[in-house]
Amino acid sequence: MKISQTDNNTVKISDIFISLKDTFECGQCFRWNEFEKGYIGVAGGRVVYVWQNSPNEMFLTNTDIDDVRDFWVNYFDLKTDYDVIISSIPESDIYLRQAADCGRGIKILRQDPAETIISFIISANNNIKRIKGIIEKLSSLYGDKILYQDTVYFAFPSLSVLNKLTIDDLQILHAGYRDKYLIDAFEKLSDDRVIALKKDPISEDRKKFLLSIKGVGPKVCDCIRLFGFSEYDAFPKDVWIKRVIKEHYGDDFDEKQFGKYAGVYQQYMFHYARNLKG
């Protein structure tokens, strides 16, 4: 991987392999939107415009080389060798090998855990457009303003702000029954709690805490573990994955057979089933 400053506002990352489209549109994130020839998004209190001319390089505007090294390389999980992950797929699993070949450019974004927890509570039984709308509304009401090219964007609200909200404050979001789930999450989360969750070496303890939050069931919990804590063995089962399992693996399927990369395989399956097989 090579990182170079192309001008005062743009950084190029090369000698990588990533598909921004497949990464942003595989259901793991909600704050990236198509913009000009790439995507614009908000993460870590930053706004950045990203695009690429080939899978082997990407450009980031509204940043500098130090911030790319310190934040964005980690956010895009560019140091993980996904070729090693793909090579671990058994030769006998033809479907998964095809799915991985198709989705090879997908990266598991390293997103903020608190934002991921709240976002996936909102995502339950919801569609992408509405999820994005609710998150943007929450951010515009309670997040810090960020100005980029004469447009105002909003950082995701801090837990110190969210902790003070009441269920009445959330009515304007039109999140429905999820309001009470969000309030429960706000009450149970704190910066110290999130730090402790990130440091906890015992995955089952983290899972137990997440499941204690109202509105977090097994599927949402696995999404949070995978996308918010980089637990690659988490295997969320949505309707697409359930169809894949039924068609290709049968009723006796156990995701533990996929081992420590089950969640990465899940993203390949999801992408392949939805975009090419659906």
Side-chain angles (χ1 to χ4, degrees):
M1 178 172 55
K2 296 179 181 178
I3 304 173
S4 57
Q5 191 93 38
T6 63
D7 58 39
N8 291 335
N9 203 34
T10 301
V11 176
K12 176 183 177 181
I13 306 177
S14 55
D15 290 351
I16 55 174
F17 192 92
I18 182 173
S19 167
L20 294 175
K21 177 178 174 61
D22 293 345
T23 297
F24 291 146
E25 298 181 11
C26 66
Q28 64 173 312
C29 58
F30 306 106
R31 305 221 54 203
W32 291 92
N33 296 290
E34 288 187 83
F35 179 76
E36 296 181 352
K37 61 180 180 180
Y39 292 81
I40 194 163
V42 184
R46 302 159 169 83
V47 173
V48 74
Y49 166 49
V50 298
W51 78 97
Q52 55 187 161
N53 297 318
S54 75
N56 301 110
E57 61 183 19
M58 62 187 290
F59 297 85
L60 301 91
T61 294
N62 198 35
T63 186
D64 59 43
I65 197 165
D66 290 332
D67 198 44
V68 167
R69 286 172 174 157
D70 294 342
F71 180 80
W72 291 110
V73 166
N74 179 69
Y75 178 83
F76 284 105
D77 201 23
L78 297 179
K79 291 185 178 180
T80 296
D81 191 336
Y82 281 77
D83 286 339
V84 170
I85 295 175
I86 291 173
S87 67
S88 70
I89 299 173
E91 291 285 348
S92 59
D93 197 332
I94 297 174
Y95 178 83
L96 183 53
R97 295 191 71 83
Q98 290 174 337
D101 184 61
C102 176
R104 180 173 165 240
I106 295 173
K107 305 294 186 183
I108 306 297
L109 301 176
R110 292 178 176 264
Q111 302 177 72
D112 176 75
E115 180 176 346
T116 307
I117 292 169
I118 293 162
S119 296
F120 276 92
I121 289 174
I122 292 170
S123 78
N125 299 311
N126 220 340
N127 61 67
I128 295 293
K129 182 178 180 180
R130 191 158 180 268
I131 298 165
K132 285 188 170 185
I134 294 171
I135 294 171
E136 288 303 323
K137 188 67 175 180
L138 180 66
S139 299
S140 68
L141 287 171
Y142 304 111
D144 292 335
K145 293 181 180 180
I146 311 169
L147 186 65
Y148 173 60
Q149 290 190 342
D150 299 323
T151 300
V152 177
Y153 297 86
F154 296 89
F156 193 82
S158 67
L159 286 175
S160 61
V161 171
L162 296 176
N163 291 155
K164 299 174 183 176
L165 300 183
T166 68
I167 200 162
D168 289 337
D169 294 323
L170 300 184
Q171 296 302 303
I172 194 171
L173 301 179
H174 301 294
Y177 64 86
R178 300 171 191 84
D179 286 353
K180 60 180 179 291
Y181 299 159
L182 292 172
I183 292 296
D184 187 62
F186 299 162
E187 291 175 348
K188 290 177 178 175
L189 291 171
S190 66
D191 290 332
D192 288 343
R193 168 60 77 176
V194 172
I195 291 172
L197 287 172
K198 290 174 69 174
K199 290 182 176 180
D200 196 335
I202 304 176
S203 176
E204 285 302 314
D205 289 348
R206 185 184 299 119
K207 186 175 181 180
K208 183 178 179 180
F209 172 79
L210 293 172
L211 289 170
S212 75
I213 300 173
K214 293 178 181 177
V216 176
K219 183 247 183 178
V220 169
C221 179
D222 282 341
C223 286
I224 294 168
R225 291 173 55 221
L226 180 58
F227 306 132
F229 291 95
S230 301
E231 291 191 57
Y232 290 160
D233 64 323
F235 191 83
K237 297 191 190 79
D238 72 341
V239 62
W240 290 100
I241 296 302
K242 289 178 180 177
R243 288 174 186 168
V244 168
I245 291 171
K246 182 177 181 180
E247 181 176 352
H248 296 278
Y249 295 94
D251 296 333
D252 59 348
F253 171 80
D254 183 352
E255 63 265 26
K256 291 181 180 179
Q257 72 189 56
F258 286 150
K260 61 183 180 180
Y261 299 130
V264 182
Y265 301 158
Q266 185 268 4
Q267 286 290 276
Y268 296 151
M269 291 175 172
F270 177 83
H271 168 76
Y272 194 49
R274 190 180 64 163
N275 293 294
L276 298 179
K277 294 292 187 179

